[in-house]
Amino acid sequence: METIEKNGYKKIRNSGLEYFTVAPHVWGMKIVFVNVYIIAVVDEGANSWVLVDAGLKGSGKKIVRMAEDIFGPGAKPAAILLTHGHFDHVGALEELLAVWDVPVYSHYLELPYLKGISSYPPPDPMVGGGLMSMMSWMYPRSPKDLGKRVHRLGTDDKVPGLPDWRFIHTPGHSPGQVSFYRDSDKTLIAADAFVTTRQESAFSVITQMKRLSGPPKYFTTDWVASKRSVQILASLEPESAASGHGYPMYGDELRSSLRRLAENFEEEAVPSYGRYVKESARANKNGVQYIPQAVVNPKLLAGAVLIGAATALGLVLALNRKKKSFSYKKLI
C-alpha cells in the first residue's frame, strides 16, 4: 500500500486501486469524472458504514474493492445514500445491490427519477464552458426503476446509518439534491451544489484542476434555488468539503472560496445563455412538470460552425493529399 499526502488529503494506492481520505472516517474515490464516498460511524468504529452515491455504470466492482480494502473482505454497508439521481451518481446501483442487499435512500423529490416515473429535464449544451457541456446532450436522463428498494429520507434531517450526520436539502442542480454534514468537525459532502473543479471543461476534468465552482451548468435546471443552496452551505463555514466532482478542499481556502461564490453567484456560476437561465424547470413529488424552451447560444453556435468548417476543410485537404499520393504511385 502506498500513501501520498496532497493538499490536505491522502491518496491511497493498493493493488491498482486508488482512493483518498476526506476527513476522519470519510473516504472518497474518483471514478472517471465523478466521486463516491464511504463514511464510517465514528462511535461504532469501522464496522458500521454507508456508501454515498454509486458512480458510473460499470464501476460496481471497483466500489466493492474500495470498501473491502478499508473494512476487509465481505464488508457490507448499512445503506446506500444518494445525493441525487443523475446518471453519474447512480450508475452502478444495480451492480452494487446484486452484491449488497441493503436499503437505498434519497430525498422524496428525487424518488420519481428512481422509481421509473419521470425523466430529468434535458441537459443544456448551450451553457458553454467546455467540451463536457457541449457533449451533455448525449448524457442519459431516463429514470431508474428501483421499486421498493429505494426509500425516502425522513421529514427531519436525520441520516439513516449515520447518527452523527444530518442531511441538508440543497436543490437547484436537481430538485431533491441533498448534502451531508457532520457538525462535530464541520465536514461537508456537498454533492453537486458546488464542485471543486470546472466540470464543464474536459481539460479541468482530466487534470482535476482545483477551483471551487458552482454546480455543473449543463445539468442545473434552477439557478435561483442553486444560489440559495450555496448560501446555506457557505453559512456553515465548513472545515472540509468534498463534492461530486473534484478533490476535497479545506480550511480558509475553502471558506473564502465558498463565501466568494455565494456573494458573486450570478457572475461566477450562472451562464450567460442557457435553457434554464431566465426560467427554471419545475418539478414536484411526481417528477418534472414544466421544461422551458431550448435557447441558442450565438457565440457557441458560431464557434461550432467554425470548428465544423475547419474540420471539413482538413478532411478535404487530407483526401486531396491521399488522392495525389495514390495517383503518383500509379504513375510509378
Side-chain angles (χ1 to χ4, degrees):
M1 180 182 290
E2 179 186 12
T3 302
I4 301 170
E5 295 269 359
K6 187 174 182 180
N7 297 326
Y9 61 90
K10 295 178 182 178
K11 277 190 175 182
I12 301 162
R13 293 172 180 163
N14 189 19
S15 301
L17 184 72
E18 181 176 294
Y19 55 96
F20 55 89
T21 62
V22 176
H25 301 274
V26 184
W27 301 264
M29 181 167 62
K30 181 173 75 74
I31 300 172
V32 187
F33 60 79
V34 68
N35 298 324
V36 301
Y37 295 99
I38 283 176
I39 305 174
V41 179
V42 175
D43 58 1
E44 294 184 20
N47 293 321
S48 181
W49 58 280
V50 301
L51 174 71
V52 177
D53 286 343
L56 292 165
K57 187 175 181 180
S59 60
K61 288 182 180 179
K62 193 173 183 181
I63 294 170
V64 171
R65 281 185 61 208
M66 174 190 177
E68 293 188 343
D69 199 63
I70 296 169
F71 303 112
K76 176 181 175 181
I80 297 174
L81 310 177
L82 299 178
T83 61
H84 59 300
H86 284 162
F87 80 100
D88 51 342
H89 293 258
V90 301
L93 262 179
E94 287 92 344
E95 303 162 50
L96 293 170
L97 292 173
V99 179
W100 301 327
D101 183 17
V102 298
V104 179
Y105 291 94
S106 79
H107 192 276
Y108 80 93
L109 288 174
E110 291 296 294
L111 291 180
Y113 317 105
L114 299 167
K115 286 180 171 284
I117 297 170
S118 174
S119 294
Y120 280 105
D124 188 359
M126 291 289 109
V127 293
L131 188 60
M132 295 295 286
S133 290
M134 291 179 68
M135 295 191 306
S136 65
W137 62 273
M138 298 186 293
Y139 300 161
R141 64 185 184 95
S142 300
K144 283 192 176 292
D145 189 358
L146 299 176
K148 294 182 179 180
R149 292 176 294 178
V150 63
H151 310 273
R152 63 171 289 174
L153 290 166
T155 53
D156 53 19
D157 61 359
K158 290 182 171 56
V159 181
L162 290 180
D164 47 343
W165 291 70
R166 59 187 170 100
F167 77 83
I168 303 165
H169 186 205
T170 49
H173 184 63
S174 75
Q177 178 177 248
V178 295
S179 302
F180 298 104
Y181 189 65
R182 186 166 65 190
D183 289 276
S184 61
D185 62 353
K186 295 191 170 186
T187 297
L188 174 66
I189 305 294
D192 287 0
F194 65 83
V195 295
T196 56
T197 190
R198 283 188 62 240
Q199 188 58 25
E200 300 79 20
S201 163
F203 177 78
S204 292
V205 168
I206 292 167
T207 62
Q208 289 293 283
M209 183 182 295
K210 184 172 65 170
R211 176 180 172 180
L212 194 140
S213 307
K217 292 180 173 68
Y218 47 82
F219 252 144
T220 300
T221 57
D222 187 336
W223 288 101
V224 174
S226 289
K227 179 180 179 180
R228 285 198 300 267
S229 294
V230 168
Q231 290 172 333
I232 288 168
L233 297 181
S235 71
L236 298 172
E237 298 190 340
E239 179 61 30
S240 57
S243 63
H245 307 274
Y247 286 112
M249 289 183 68
Y250 298 92
D252 291 337
E253 180 187 24
L254 165 64
R255 287 186 288 272
S256 62
S257 298
L258 189 50
R259 193 180 309 117
R260 183 171 60 250
L261 178 64
E263 292 172 353
N264 304 283
F265 190 80
E266 286 83 1
E267 295 80 9
E268 292 202 9
V270 182
S272 301
Y273 289 89
R275 186 175 203 153
Y276 308 105
V277 171
K278 292 185 178 179
E279 193 177 12
S280 301
R282 293 194 289 272
N284 60 21
K285 64 181 182 180
N286 298 311
V288 175
Q289 303 298 302
Y290 172 74
I291 299 172
Q293 287 188 344
V295 299
V296 174
N297 184 333
K299 291 182 181 178
L300 192 64
L301 192 62
V305 169
L306 287 173
I307 291 170
T311 302
L313 180 60
L315 286 172
V316 168
L317 292 174
L319 287 171
N320 282 338
R321 283 197 297 270
K322 188 174 181 180
K323 186 176 179 181
K324 288 178 180 178
S325 174
F326 179 73
S327 300
Y328 177 73
K329 285 178 182 177
K330 283 184 71 177
L331 288 172
I332 295 174

